[in-house]
Amino acid sequence: MNNKHNLALAENTSLQLVPPVDAPASQWHAFLTLGFCQTARGTVLKTCDHKGPLYVQKPFYPEGRDTAHVYLLHPPGGLVSGDRLTITANLAENTHVLITTPGAGRVYRAREDKTLQHQVTQLNVAKNSLMEWLPQETILYPNAHTRLENSIDLADNAKFIGWEITCFGLPANHQDFGEGHAEQGFQIRQNGRIKVRERLVIDDNSRAIFSAKAGLDGKPINGLMIAGPFESSEPSNSVNHDELIDKLRQHCTEHGSLSGVTLVGDYIMVRSIHDDSEQVKQLFIQCWQDIRPALLGKESNEPRIWST
């Protein structure tokens, strides 16, 4: 079953999945902290501390021992009112980690008290290490009340590729995000200095962004991909940057969605809005296949879970 079908199935069975508003309060204050280091056996998961329903199985190594593929598991499948999930990955020097998820994340409709549904992702990437954060889409149910934060700290010569794909509402059920509250943040620090800061707030004061031409233009899917840093100070890389950006823009043109590529400082950013989260994901995978060898020096090797 592909991810597009999974999304449609989840939306069509939403009344079974969403807790009723008068259900007894049940909250998860859960965390997962992963520690990776470089050993004679390559990049290994050295520590794994968790509380609550967040955990991982053993890493996979489809491209050799130096690159660990990790699948983040959250059996409840989504956030309800009062939930707080904290995900932390600490990469020691000279490690390479790719983290993804087996399916879409969900933020269900909030209870009447509108208690926050909160997820924090903190990725700490040490010197000469590579981090790829490639989760599948997040579905925000109508009337969700959520804050989703991504914070990446990069040391010297650390590299990062990551994306977030957000579905506002349940388009397959013709339910938009006409009510609810959502805050999203994506921040990258490099040696302690902020290099990228993205923030999106959807509430009653800003809901017009859904229809605005300078906003989401009527599209329920919003995607952001960030990769870098590309060392623009090195003259030998300048032409490669131009060629890479041209290739990414060509992908956006052929994709047929409202998509674009920009270079912000030393970071390439790809944005896309669409009616279909699977289409945004496929565009980002295409871009990732070109960005990865240019930035990380490694050919793309898709996680096996994406094919199931």
Side-chain angles (χ1 to χ4, degrees), residues 25-46:
S26 61
Q27 303 178 1
W28 284 111
H29 287 193
F31 70 83
L32 174 68
T33 303
L34 307 174
F36 298 90
C37 67
Q38 181 65 231
T39 72
R41 295 184 292 116
T43 296
V44 299
L45 178 59
K46 191 70 172 180

Side-chain angles (χ1 to χ4, degrees), residues 146-189:
T146 187
R147 182 182 301 144
L148 307 174
E149 303 176 65
N150 297 286
S151 182
I152 297 92
D153 285 317
L154 305 178
D156 286 335
N157 203 39
K159 307 292 185 183
F160 172 78
I161 304 175
W163 66 48
E164 60 179 2
I165 301 169
T166 308
C167 177
F168 290 96
L170 303 174
N173 282 358
H174 307 289
Q175 298 180 35
D176 62 21
F177 201 72
E179 295 185 19
H181 179 97
E183 299 178 37
Q184 292 182 282
F186 209 116
Q187 178 175 283
I188 299 177
R189 291 180 180 268

Side-chain angles (χ1 to χ4, degrees), residues 131-134 152 154 158-164 186 188 190 195-196 224-232 241 244-245 248 261-271 284 287-296:
M131 176 77 237
E132 297 177 85
W133 174 253
L134 311 175
I152 297 92
L154 305 178
K159 307 292 185 183
F160 172 78
I161 304 175
W163 66 48
E164 60 179 2
F186 209 116
I188 299 177
Q190 190 177 337
K195 297 295 185 177
V196 174
L224 171 66
M225 181 178 187
I226 304 175
F230 289 85
E231 302 300 332
S232 58
H241 290 171
L244 175 59
I245 290 173
L248 299 177
V261 183
T262 55
L263 181 64
V264 179
D266 294 336
Y267 292 83
I268 287 177
M269 305 179 73
V270 184
R271 302 178 189 272
F284 282 4
C287 293
W288 172 72
Q289 290 171 342
D290 289 327
I291 290 173
R292 199 180 201 238
L295 181 64
L296 309 185

Side-chain angles (χ1 to χ4, degrees), residues 29-239:
H29 287 193
F31 70 83
L32 174 68
T33 303
L34 307 174
F36 298 90
C37 67
Q38 181 65 231
T39 72
R41 295 184 292 116
T43 296
V44 299
L45 178 59
K46 191 70 172 180
T47 60
C48 180
D49 299 323
H50 75 98
K51 174 185 177 182
L54 280 170
Y55 63 97
V56 298
Q57 296 175 331
K58 66 178 182 179
F60 299 94
Y61 296 90
E63 49 188 314
R65 299 300 300 181
D66 287 332
T67 304
H69 287 211
V70 177
Y71 302 158
L72 180 63
L73 305 177
H74 182 225
L79 301 177
V80 300
S81 291
D83 281 0
R84 178 183 172 92
L85 304 183
T86 302
I87 303 161
T88 305
N90 298 311
L91 277 62
E93 292 187 12
N94 302 305
T95 54
H96 183 185
V97 178
L98 185 156
I99 297 179
T100 188
T101 57
R106 296 175 179 84
V107 182
Y108 297 127
R109 64 188 175 99
R111 290 190 290 265
E112 289 183 354
D113 61 7
K114 303 297 183 184
T115 306
L116 190 66
Q117 300 150 278
H118 195 188
Q119 179 171 306
V120 178
T121 302
Q122 176 70 52
L123 309 174
N124 303 310
V125 189
K127 183 179 180 181
N128 298 323
S129 290
L130 313 175
M131 176 77 237
E132 297 177 85
W133 174 253
L134 311 175
Q136 306 215 43
E137 70 273 11
T138 300
I139 306 167
L140 305 187
Y141 280 57
N143 285 306
H145 189 81
T146 187
R147 182 182 301 144
L148 307 174
E149 303 176 65
N150 297 286
S151 182
I152 297 92
D153 285 317
L154 305 178
D156 286 335
N157 203 39
K159 307 292 185 183
F160 172 78
I161 304 175
W163 66 48
E164 60 179 2
I165 301 169
T166 308
C167 177
F168 290 96
L170 303 174
N173 282 358
H174 307 289
Q175 298 180 35
D176 62 21
F177 201 72
E179 295 185 19
H181 179 97
E183 299 178 37
Q184 292 182 282
F186 209 116
Q187 178 175 283
I188 299 177
R189 291 180 180 268
Q190 190 177 337
N191 292 320
R193 300 184 63 182
I194 294 176
K195 297 295 185 177
V196 174
R197 175 177 282 173
E198 292 282 321
R199 188 166 182 260
L200 176 65
V201 177
I202 303 293
D203 57 20
D204 290 340
N205 295 321
S206 61
R207 213 169 302 278
I209 194 173
F210 284 120
S211 58
K213 287 293 183 181
L216 298 181
D217 195 26
K219 309 297 184 184
I221 314 299
N222 182 42
L224 171 66
M225 181 178 187
I226 304 175
F230 289 85
E231 302 300 332
S232 58
S233 60
E234 297 181 14
S236 61
N237 287 336
S238 298
V239 174

